[in-house]
Amino acid sequence: MSEDQNRIETLDGLLRARRSVRGFRPDPVPADILRRIFTMAGQAPSNCNVQPWVVHVVSGAAAERVRTALHDRARAGAALSPDYPLTGTYPGHYRTRQVEAAKALFAATGVARDDLPARTDSFLRNFRFFDAPHAAFILMPDWAGIREAADCGMYAQSLMLAMTAHGIGSCAQGALGHYADVVRGALDVPDGHRILFGIAFGYEDEAHPANKARTDRAALADTTVFHD
Ligand SMILES: Cc1cc2nc3c(=O)[nH]c(=O)nc-3n(C[C@H](O)[C@H](O)[C@H](O)COP(=O)(O)O)c2cc1C
């Protein structure tokens, strides 16, 4: 295989190997690997190279502190307090895709569609970041808007691919921004920063039922128009 072909296959393999992991082993990622993957993610492009991402990574006692505070708030049924408004419901085929993804997760974990307590428990796992040993919170300065959010998305995918290359599982989690004040308070985040979302990460517990869930993707023609 040529060097070019090798690179293409490597990237395609990483893109396909990355999937959301929602069950983790407790062993932490070594500090030198943490530094490497976050350095790799920093290569992401951004509008005018402003690199608007401000990233707070929690491990050990800090992870437990945030996890406990978030889970307690969510379990109490408190009103959501996100820094950025939630999308709400999705229309048409976007809703169909959302439902399919949820079905795949519930089928994998054996949660029945009408079993509300089990669905609630399943959702609450989000706030414990699925018991991952680490989470990365992606914040932006408060002047940032939709363009900078797109930059942060590029950063996040770069980060998750770097993790995949190191054998580390991850799950992007909008839910980690649902109680933004809790996270900012627990981490003593300086004023002027807002939480966009978080990413749970660590080594995958391959026996965890949630990790059997698989999603598919729309056909190219359903998302992409080529103009000549
Ligand atoms: C910005 C973002 C936020 C997400 N939020 C959540 C979340 O709060 N909880 C969750 O379980 N999955 C969350 N996901 C994961 C998606 O459900 C998942 O990426 C999608 O279903 C495709 O599956 P895959 O990641 O396994 O390929 C999020 C993904 C992204 C990109």
Side-chain angles (χ1 to χ4, degrees):
M1 201 186 291
S2 72
E3 201 175 316
D4 280 354
Q5 196 58 32
N6 222 337
R7 286 157 64 132
I8 294 167
E9 295 305 327
T10 301
L11 179 58
D12 192 42
L14 287 173
L15 287 163
R16 288 172 193 281
R18 188 224 50 85
R19 60 184 163 73
S20 292
V21 168
R22 298 183 179 90
F24 294 87
R25 304 203 310 256
D27 7 347
V29 174
D32 56 330
I33 297 180
L34 280 182
R35 296 192 74 79
R36 182 85 207 270
I37 55 183
F38 283 92
T39 302
M40 286 169 75
Q43 292 301 318
S46 55
N47 279 277
C48 302
N49 200 28
V50 295
Q51 305 160 65
W53 43 83
V54 176
V55 185
H56 286 251
V57 185
V58 296
S59 313
E64 292 316 311
R65 196 166 69 242
V66 183
R67 192 190 325 271
T68 304
L70 267 179
H71 192 253
D72 284 353
R73 175 78 78 89
R75 204 179 37 185
L80 304 186
S81 47
D83 283 338
Y84 298 95
L86 300 177
T87 314
T89 53
Y90 298 104
H93 61 272
Y94 301 105
R95 169 76 182 150
T96 309
R97 292 174 188 164
Q98 179 193 28
V99 168
E100 289 303 319
K103 267 195 204 161
L105 183 58
F106 290 141
T109 51
V111 173
R113 200 180 163 73
D114 54 358
D115 186 346
L116 200 56
R119 286 177 70 133
T120 303
D121 282 352
S122 170
F123 188 63
L124 282 175
R125 294 189 66 239
N126 268 285
F127 300 100
R128 303 189 51 73
F129 16 109
F130 306 114
D131 294 312
H134 311 275
F137 291 89
I138 315 292
L139 295 86
M140 303 195 297
D142 56 10
W143 53 261
I146 194 164
R147 282 181 188 75
E148 291 73 26
D151 297 339
C152 289
M154 298 198 192
Y155 173 89
Q157 171 72 337
S158 304
L159 177 63
M160 292 192 290
L161 290 178
M163 288 176 176
T164 305
H166 283 83
I168 297 164
S170 63
C171 183
Q173 293 186 262
L176 291 185
H178 283 189
Y179 299 103
D181 54 320
V182 171
V183 178
R184 277 191 271 102
L187 297 181
D188 220 359
V189 171
D191 285 349
H193 292 89
R194 296 185 185 167
I195 298 176
L196 202 47
F197 60 93
I199 300 176
F201 69 95
Y203 297 105
E204 177 174 356
D205 172 0
E206 286 171 8
H208 198 288
N211 293 336
K212 304 278 182 263
R214 295 290 181 275
T215 54
D216 56 16
R217 294 296 187 268
L220 184 64
D222 291 340
T223 61
T224 311
V225 182
F226 295 96
H227 299 267
D228 286 317

